[in-house]
Amino acid sequence: MTIAVDTPPTAADDAVGARADAPAPFPRRWLGLVAVLAATLLNLLDASIVNVAAPAIRTDLGGTAATLQWLAAGYTLALAVGLLTGGRLGDMFGRRRVMLVGLVGFLAASLACGAAGSIETLLAARVVQGIFAAVMVPQGFGLIRDMFGRDMGKAYAVFGPLIGLATIAGPVVAGLLVDADLLGTGWRSIFLVNLPLGLAALVLGAKVLPAGAPAAKGLRLDLGGALIAAAGMCLLLVPLVEGRELGWPAWSIAMVVAAVPVLGLFAWTQARRARTGRTALIELSVFAKRSYTSGIAFVVVFFGSITGFSLAVGLFFQLGLGFGPLKASIAMAAWAVGAFIGSGASAGLAPRLGRGVLHLGLGLMTAGLAVVWLQFGAETAPGTWALSPALLVYGIGMGMIFVPLFGIIVGDLEDHEVGSAAGLLESFQQGAAALGVAGLGTVFFGRFAIGGGAAEAMGAAQWVAGLTVALTVLAFLVAFGLPKRAKADH
């Protein structure tokens, strides 16, 4: 999703349907789509690829349990904050140019990750990766609109299932790469593999993507608002990740408390900019719609739970059961397969069921999670394939939600609100991922000390699975506040 200035971007058009004044299809649109897909895949994979590789990274570079959480949370936090301004850059300077600049920065940060000689350097490079991903990713949706015009539905028929698969495929890819140990690179290959894919996207994008004129040349960014939002998120996340290991000192509690007024200040500055006629990072009018605020709550609960659960399962297999990266990725492969199946199925079900497809998906997720919870409570540790049937069901349910979710959430919004609302949802999604890693990761390590053994790891994983069940049920209830149909179905 991206953020628009004067007209809804492609993320919005995906929800409202192609507009009558949409441009004619671009001659090299399918080659251009390949470039956009490659850039999008880089972000989706890197958001989750460290979940399996994190133990190998810690063994090589050192660090604490909190370090394992920051490897994922640092990227998603930077991405969440950066998305508030990333979409604007494309409107100011042209989408192709900004996407290619973002891609170059992302590749440079990936190289820095792969060459990192210390855990501190790696964490810093991960944050830079997230920042450039926030510059790169929003441009793709606008470029699809520019290239496909009235035929955007054809592009998204390819885009949706691929996003569903890539979102959870990161751990599987990581396991294969780390175990393969290509040219002795070990865990570094999960970042270095970005280079050939990214360079191909860069060359192809420079040749075939439409240049296009800036949509809002001369627009001034609200960098102050972005910094306030970043400060508020950091005040919330840092104590969640670090507090447990340090015994919850007073400063950690103070930071959580301070996050509330800082985020409140962000909302106030956005309202003030809107009143004075200046461009705000977010369109506050969307919060007057109960359906949209329900959508924000749904995104936070849903994406926070799945990312935190993914981290905990990966850590359980490797730190608890002693699985290598490849064996751990095999044990989680059914999850990725299920996500792909569910994403494809939802394309046919969503137009008929509307909001009901979310409830169907959440029901399947709850059923799969309940079985996982029971298996973690068994007397003997599960083997490589033991969790696969339950994870397959969980993945199918999760995949069914990915494709129609954002269109349903913006179903009650006016057309001029959809662009900002879609971009804000994407930012909340990434922020929720960081919170999920921090929160559920803290729960896991609160009950499992590294080296504690299988029984202790099973107990910790069962706690996380139980909380994920509760969060999924909560998402099921929150979904009743969403519009019954997607925008395009009204």
Side-chain angles (χ1 to χ4, degrees):
M1 304 294 167
T2 188
I3 305 173
V5 175
D6 54 356
T7 59
T10 308
D13 288 326
D14 184 32
V16 301
R19 295 166 18 161
D21 61 346
F26 184 66
R28 293 176 291 180
R29 54 183 179 165
W30 289 108
L31 283 174
L33 180 63
V34 171
V36 171
L37 284 174
T40 304
L41 284 173
L42 286 173
N43 166 58
L44 292 173
L45 290 173
D46 272 67
S48 59
I49 204 166
V50 298
N51 287 354
V52 165
I57 294 173
R58 179 182 173 276
T59 299
D60 187 18
L61 299 182
T64 65
T67 302
L68 301 180
Q69 295 169 255
W70 277 122
L71 285 170
Y75 179 92
T76 51
L77 174 60
L79 178 59
V81 175
L83 281 168
L84 294 175
T85 58
R88 304 281 195 197
L89 294 174
D91 294 314
M92 294 169 62
F93 302 109
R95 295 189 181 101
R96 183 182 73 174
R97 178 187 299 174
V98 173
M99 178 177 169
L100 296 180
V101 168
L103 187 51
V104 169
F106 186 90
L107 294 178
S110 297
L111 181 60
C113 287
S118 68
I119 195 65
E120 293 79 14
T121 302
L122 177 57
L123 292 176
R126 284 285 287 169
V127 170
V128 175
Q129 252 194 329
I131 292 172
F132 277 105
V135 173
M136 171 181 68
V137 170
Q139 318 316 324
F141 296 99
L143 284 167
I144 290 176
R145 180 183 185 276
D146 294 342
M147 292 187 294
F148 282 81
R150 295 179 294 273
D151 294 333
M152 284 184 300
K154 296 179 180 178
Y156 282 103
V158 176
F159 212 79
L162 194 60
I163 288 176
L165 176 62
T167 301
I168 198 62
V172 178
V173 174
L176 293 171
L177 289 173
V178 175
D179 191 75
D181 193 22
L182 301 172
L183 301 176
T185 54
W187 60 265
R188 299 176 189 275
S189 61
I190 70 170
F191 302 112
L192 298 177
V193 74
N194 291 341
L195 300 181
L197 178 60
L199 288 173
L202 188 63
V203 173
L204 184 61
K207 286 182 177 294
V208 304
L209 290 175
K217 193 173 183 179
L219 176 73
R220 299 186 65 178
L221 289 174
D222 180 18
L223 294 178
L227 290 174
I228 294 172
M233 288 297 293
C234 287
L235 285 170
L236 188 60
L237 279 178
V238 169
L240 285 178
V241 174
E242 300 286 349
R244 184 200 60 80
E245 285 195 356
L246 301 176
W248 299 106
W251 62 261
S252 66
I253 306 300
M255 287 182 71
V256 173
V257 174
V260 177
V262 171
L263 293 174
L265 175 63
F266 172 71
W268 179 80
T269 59
Q270 296 305 292
R272 184 184 179 190
R273 289 182 69 89
R275 286 196 305 268
T276 57
R278 291 177 292 171
T279 303
L281 289 175
I282 60 176
E283 184 74 45
L284 291 177
S285 65
V286 298
F287 289 99
K289 304 283 178 67
R290 183 179 66 87
S291 59
Y292 184 75
T293 56
S294 296
I296 291 289
F298 184 93
V299 163
V300 171
V301 174
F302 176 74
F303 284 100
S305 66
I306 61 176
T307 52
F309 180 65
S310 173
L311 175 67
V313 172
L315 294 175
F316 163 76
F317 280 126
Q318 292 193 78
L319 299 181
L321 302 189
F323 285 13
L326 178 59
K327 192 174 181 180
S329 68
I330 291 173
M332 299 174 66
W335 190 345
V337 173
F340 182 74
I341 294 172
S343 296
S346 68
L349 292 173
R352 287 182 288 159
L353 299 181
R355 185 180 68 192
V357 75
L358 303 184
H359 284 120
L360 178 58
L362 289 164
L364 290 172
M365 290 175 66
T366 303
L369 281 169
V371 174
V372 171
W373 180 82
L374 290 172
Q375 289 178 292
F376 282 146
E379 293 183 2
T380 58
T384 305
W385 300 103
L387 297 181
S388 293
L391 290 178
L392 177 69
V393 173
Y394 179 75
I396 291 173
M398 184 183 69
M400 292 177 68
I401 294 170
F402 281 147
V403 176
L405 176 59
F406 288 93
I408 291 173
I409 290 176
V410 302
D412 287 346
L413 299 184
E414 302 297 328
D415 286 357
H416 73 276
E417 297 174 319
V418 174
S420 178
L424 188 59
L425 280 173
E426 181 72 14
S427 186
F428 267 103
Q429 174 188 334
Q430 298 301 331
L435 282 172
V437 167
L440 292 181
T442 297
V443 170
F444 182 84
F445 284 116
R447 288 160 177 80
F448 172 76
I450 295 176
E456 188 175 312
M458 287 178 66
Q462 188 178 36
W463 263 93
V464 173
L467 287 173
T468 308
V469 169
L471 290 171
T472 307
V473 172
L474 177 60
F476 188 95
L477 298 175
V478 171
F480 283 107
L482 301 179
K484 293 182 179 180
R485 314 291 301 181
K487 188 79 171 177
D489 299 331
H490 282 200

